Amino acid sequence: EVQLVESGGGLVQPGGSLRLSCAASGFTFSSHWMHWVRQAPGKGLVWVSRINNDGSYTDYADSVKGRFTISRDNAKNTLYLQMNSLRADDTAVYYCARLGVAARVGGVDCWGQGTLVTVSS
Amino acid sequence: AIQMTQSPSSLSASVGDRVTITCRASQGIRDDLGWYQQKPGKAPKVLIYAASSLQSGVPSRFSGSGSGTDFTLTISSLQPEDFATYYCLQDYTYPPTFGQGTKLEIK
């Protein structure tokens, strides 16, 4: 069974740092691009970042560029999001995802259960 | 970035109703679009990929159509478990962008 399990969320003060992890299982992790998507309380889904299958290429939303770093360890089947200089508007549930809406076969799209990051003093 | 305009933002309907939700892209995205259902406190679940392909295990009352800039999600006969929030997502070009969401409520 394909599974993504996030961890690392919590309460952090403005200006602080946090590292999220996403453990993947049930598929060949090293073959897939991976994404982080977030959802502020009561709001919609917002794409945050992506990384290619070998970790050599990354992209970021403008709102997090220069503050967040996505990375992966294919030997550990784990995706990471290092979040620095956190602000109140970074408060959200963070999901790791293998997006598959553009795929030509089903079963690609998969999301974790999410981890809550709260930035507050 | 491509803007995805989803409508309506909210919708009241009854069990058994036929419901349509639309997404319009600010430029052509071929059929690189999917539809998600999200229930409170849960992760989004994909219903439709490649604009019109039904994800395995999703009831056949859900269908998607469209190509280019205009897309539609249709629920042919609403069931109680369908009351949720729905999002479209384009993954044709960077960055991937979501519609604003449609909250489907019981009338």
Side-chain angles (χ1 to χ4, degrees):
Chain A
E1 179 194 3
V2 173
Q3 197 169 14
L4 298 169
V5 179
E6 300 96 335
S7 59
L11 175 64
V12 60
Q13 293 189 336
S17 298
L18 213 53
R19 188 175 86 153
L20 306 183
S21 300
C22 171
S25 60
F27 66 101
T28 307
F29 181 68
S30 59
S31 296
H32 293 271
W33 288 58
M34 296 296 295
H35 302 254
W36 288 98
V37 175
R38 70 183 181 183
Q39 186 170 37
K43 302 296 185 182
L45 300 165
V46 177
W47 176 84
V48 173
S49 182
R50 69 179 180 182
I51 188 167
N52 72 340
N53 55 318
D54 67 6
S56 61
Y57 183 84
T58 59
D59 282 317
Y60 300 92
D62 287 345
S63 58
V64 307
K65 204 170 292 185
R67 300 187 299 122
F68 290 13
T69 302
I70 189 172
S71 62
R72 66 192 297 161
D73 184 336
N74 285 345
K76 295 183 177 179
N77 290 339
T78 303
L79 177 72
Y80 302 100
L81 186 68
Q82 177 67 43
M83 304 185 295
N84 298 331
S85 303
L86 282 161
R87 312 187 301 222
D89 62 358
D90 294 317
T91 294
V93 174
Y94 286 74
Y95 296 100
C96 74
R98 187 181 74 177
L99 297 181
V101 299
R104 292 305 177 249
V105 293
V108 175
D109 204 272
C110 178
W111 294 57
Q113 84 287 354
T115 188
L116 176 63
V117 172
T118 303
V119 184
S120 174
S121 55
Chain B
I2 293 177
Q3 308 299 319
M4 300 302 296
T5 303
Q6 186 173 339
S7 61
S9 56
S10 64
L11 179 56
S12 248
S14 301
V15 172
D17 283 354
R18 180 183 180 89
V19 164
T20 298
I21 299 169
T22 64
C23 260
R24 174 165 288 176
S26 59
Q27 62 189 75
I29 58 169
R30 301 187 313 187
D31 60 355
D32 292 339
L33 176 127
W35 291 96
Y36 292 91
Q37 177 192 69
Q38 188 180 32
K39 296 185 177 180
K42 299 294 187 182
K45 168 191 165 185
V46 70
L47 304 172
I48 302 289
Y49 65 95
S52 61
S53 296
L54 189 69
Q55 176 69 16
S56 176
V58 173
S60 59
R61 63 181 179 272
F62 292 92
S63 64
S65 64
S67 184
T69 59
D70 293 305
F71 301 87
T72 298
L73 173 70
T74 299
I75 310 172
S76 60
S77 178
L78 273 174
Q79 299 302 301
E81 60 269 28
D82 299 338
F83 292 94
T85 301
Y86 294 84
Y87 295 91
C88 63
L89 168 66
Q90 73 80 19
D91 198 13
Y92 171 70
T93 188
Y94 165 82
T97 44
F98 291 90
Q100 304 95 316
T102 296
K103 187 172 184 179
L104 182 51
E105 298 175 309
I106 301 174
K107 184 183 285 183

